[in-house]
Amino acid sequence: MGIDRMPMPDWTALAALDDESLPLLPAALLIARDEYPDLDPAPYEALVQAHADHLREEVAAIGQPPLKMAAINRHLFEEVGYSGNHDEYYDPRNSYLNQVLDRRLGNPISLAMVQMEVARRLDIPLDGVSFPGHFLVRLPVDGGLLVMDPFNGGRPLAVEELRERAKPHLGQAPDDSVLLQILSPAPARAILVRVLRNLHGVYAEKNEWDRAARSADRVLRLMPGQSEALRDRGLAYLELDHLRGARQDLARYLELVPDAADAEAIRDRLVDAGGMRASLH
């Protein structure tokens, strides 16, 4: 039995869905359609399904979930050739799922989505993990977790390596309870937001402010009122000389987080751009 799939939604329909109803693959392709407006989702749905169909008989004959995942990873990363784009990590194409499926190159979260979508079509409950740094995937096994790195061929990660990976982001190696919390499954909405935030970061670094604003706007479609996205869209609007939109977004950001570390700098930027300081206190 495969997972249920639905036609590619529009942003209004997508935003109205709860986390459990959000269709990850169609939503990821909807993000890609912003950059590739002629994108037809059907061939990409068919490609992911073909990966699953190719594996179905082999995986069904395997008893243990870790061995099932080993077969999936071998097919995706060795036979088909999906791999992490180590040479051009910040290429925005690494975040657009149509490009990932076409080029067989991606970043951790996009490769995780391919891995998850194929596994779920084979009734294997593979989840994403919003791990600090690189996105990972997890599979419940025998009362524990098998954690894998899709950016490096689906390689399983030992507990000590996970602690070491988390340490630079947390200031110290996490204990068991903190590590388990970090390894909680990421809902579809959180995965999509992370994709969009990655894109925002890439485009802001390139000074492509129209695309940066668009990425932040899509986050706000999925999570209305999200403070960082309001700030990011407002700052992009400032760069685009869209002062009215910048004032609205940044004033709302300062209402939500008045003690933010960047609050005074944002007030100053708005004043310099012709905003009204009195309305921002």
Side-chain angles (χ1 to χ4, degrees), residues 3-25:
I3 66 169
D4 292 335
R5 294 184 297 280
M6 63 176 288
M8 189 170 177
D10 60 27
W11 279 102
T12 301
L14 195 70
L17 296 174
D18 60 30
D19 280 346
E20 300 219 345
S21 303
L22 270 173
L24 188 59
L25 179 60

Side-chain angles (χ1 to χ4, degrees), residues 55 58-59 67-77 115 118-120 122 124 126:
L55 285 158
E58 178 185 1
V59 168
L67 297 179
K68 289 177 182 285
M69 273 311 310
I72 292 171
N73 289 340
R74 183 170 57 251
H75 178 64
L76 292 178
F77 298 113
Q115 202 181 9
V118 171
R120 289 174 177 181
L122 298 168
I124 298 172
L126 189 66

